[in-house]
């Protein structure tokens, strides 16, 4: 499980745009556990040994969705508190631009298989949130030359009312996201415990919802995993590679020994197909 640093860290020492073993914090220096942590850990538990999972975590705690829209972010941030301005400064005040910049670097090494979003507290009950998320999702697809049918959008719920959540009303908005984005999937937060502020999850809650993100992604990839499936190596040990094909970036079949950038497509024994870009030294 790998993470690409989206900012520079001094502790631990990390350089923006480089890959590292994914140990928290995955977002920025000084941040804590996030849904991405146990998303990745669960993914690698069930995937074959030779498949790597990488994440890019660009997140601004407390921001509205407008913070990820370049045409709106400057005016939005200008009226916000200094602490939010400081978070934004980590991404040169345009987190969307940083996300795309890092994602393009990641495409040199692998294939983007999905987009995770966990946001909404600051847009609580805002019905326009759906259209704005749809706009951002389609911009990501366009900017990275991706197709929606290959790159689902996974959106997690806010802390539930039963857990003391203060923004639980937004869950009714999130529930309607798949009507605007057919490739969107809602990740339940039921049973994910709230922190004392009512807006965040406890560490246990982040682990649970992160696992649920992974379960949905694994099922979309063809793996039969449920929320009560014990984490073990039995699933991945039973999955084997049935066939491997190699292509250049224009889609032409090449030999395995070819140098440079190529695409590897593997068909697995469970019926799923995995593709990845590989750079072989000349």
């Amino acid at each position: 499980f790998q993470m690409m640093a989206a900012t520079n860290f001094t502790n631990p020492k990390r350089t923006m745009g480089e890959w590292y073993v994914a140990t928290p914090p995955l977002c920025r220096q000084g941040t804590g556990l996030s849904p991405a942590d146990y998303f990745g850990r669960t993914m690698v538990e069930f995937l074959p040994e030779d498949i790597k999972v990488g994440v890019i975590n660009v997140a601004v705690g407390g921001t509205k969705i407008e913070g990820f829209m370049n045409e709106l972010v400057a005016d939005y941030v200008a009226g916000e508190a200094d602490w939010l301005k400081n978070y934004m400064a980590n991404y040169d005040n345009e987190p969307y631009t940083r996300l795309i910049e890092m994602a393009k670097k990641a495409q040199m090494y692998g294939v983007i298989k999905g987009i995770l979003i966990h946001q909404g507290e600051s847009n609580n009950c805002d019905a326009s949130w759906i259209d704005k998320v749809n706009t951002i999702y389609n911009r990501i697809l366009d900017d990275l030359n991706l197709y929606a049918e290959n790159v689902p959008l996974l959106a997690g719920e806010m802390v539930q009312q039963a857990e003391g959540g203060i923004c639980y009303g937004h869950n009714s908005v999130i529930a309607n996201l798949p009507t605007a984005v057919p490739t969107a999937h809602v990740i339940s937060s039921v049973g994910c415990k709230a922190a004392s502020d009512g807006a965040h999850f406890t560490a246990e809650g982040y682990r649970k919802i992160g696992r649920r993100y992974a379960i949905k992604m694994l099922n979309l990839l063809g793996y039969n995993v449920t929320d009560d499936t014990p984490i073990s190596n039995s699933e991945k040990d039973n999955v084997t590679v049935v066939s491997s094909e190699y292509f250049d970036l224009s889609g032409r079949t090449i030999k395995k020994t070819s140098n440079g950038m190529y695409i590897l497509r593997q068909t697995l024994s469970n019926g799923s197909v995995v593709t990845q870009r590989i750079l072989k030294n000349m």
Side-chain angles (χ1 to χ4, degrees):
F1 176 34
Q2 303 281 307
M3 55 86 71
M4 177 178 280
T7 65
N8 291 317
F9 290 61
T10 58
N11 184 25
K13 180 66 176 175
R14 291 171 179 168
T15 301
M16 183 173 66
E18 299 294 329
W19 290 106
Y20 299 90
V21 174
T23 56
L26 304 188
C27 181
R28 298 182 310 278
Q29 184 173 315
T31 57
L33 205 64
S34 74
D37 286 280
Y38 274 77
F39 165 78
R41 294 183 187 204
T42 305
M43 290 291 292
V44 297
E45 283 289 341
F46 288 99
L47 290 170
E49 265 317 318
D50 59 341
I51 295 178
K52 293 182 179 180
V53 174
V55 294
I56 301 168
N57 193 333
V58 175
V60 181
T63 187
K64 289 187 174 182
I65 196 65
E66 288 83 352
F68 281 82
M69 304 181 78
N70 282 356
E71 72 274 28
L72 300 176
V73 64
D75 288 341
Y76 161 59
V77 174
E80 293 297 311
D82 287 344
W83 60 264
L84 184 61
K85 292 176 181 177
N86 291 335
Y87 287 168
M88 283 286 183
N90 285 278
Y91 305 109
D92 296 328
N93 299 311
E94 288 190 353
Y96 177 85
T97 298
R98 180 68 56 82
L99 176 63
I100 297 301
E101 178 187 357
M102 295 298 101
K104 286 182 176 179
K105 282 181 175 287
Q107 286 180 308
M108 297 173 62
Y109 301 92
V111 178
I112 296 173
K113 305 294 289 186
I115 299 169
L116 314 184
I117 179 173
H118 195 269
Q119 189 279 334
E121 291 93 342
S122 296
N123 291 89
N124 193 24
C125 299
D126 178 3
S128 70
W129 180 87
I130 291 176
D131 289 336
K132 290 170 182 171
V133 170
N134 188 28
T135 295
I136 294 169
Y137 175 59
N138 281 286
R139 284 177 180 171
I140 293 173
L141 298 177
D142 290 343
D143 288 341
L144 299 177
N145 295 315
L146 301 172
Y147 296 95
E149 57 267 29
N150 299 329
V151 187
L153 176 65
L154 279 58
E157 291 183 325
M158 306 294 98
V159 181
Q160 298 287 331
Q161 182 179 18
E163 300 290 351
I166 59 175
C167 300
Y168 63 88
H170 196 64
N171 289 338
S172 61
V173 177
I174 298 172
N176 291 318
L177 183 60
T179 62
V181 183
T183 51
H185 303 269
V186 176
I187 309 303
S188 171
S189 66
V190 171
C192 298
K193 296 186 180 299
S196 59
D197 62 6
H200 296 87
F201 297 109
T202 60
E204 177 188 350
Y206 278 120
R207 287 192 289 266
K208 183 174 289 189
I209 197 167
R211 177 170 159 80
R212 289 176 182 171
Y213 273 98
I215 289 168
K216 172 53 69 174
M217 192 71 216
L218 286 162
N219 278 277
L220 292 171
L221 292 173
Y223 291 80
N224 184 21
V225 185
T226 62
D227 196 19
D228 59 358
T229 302
I231 295 179
S232 70
N233 291 330
S234 60
E235 177 81 8
K236 68 179 181 183
D237 289 343
N238 290 329
V239 178
T240 59
V241 177
V242 176
S243 63
S244 298
E245 300 170 280
Y246 303 86
F247 305 90
D248 64 19
L249 297 186
S250 65
R252 293 177 297 184
T253 301
I254 59 174
K255 294 181 179 180
K256 179 181 179 180
T257 55
S258 297
N259 287 323
M261 181 75 74
Y262 64 91
I263 297 172
L264 168 63
R265 182 170 68 188
Q266 294 179 314
T267 301
L268 306 181
S269 57
N270 64 0
S272 63
V273 177
V274 178
T275 60
Q276 59 179 314
R277 291 191 186 190
I278 298 174
L279 178 62
K280 185 176 181 180
N281 293 331
M282 303 295 288

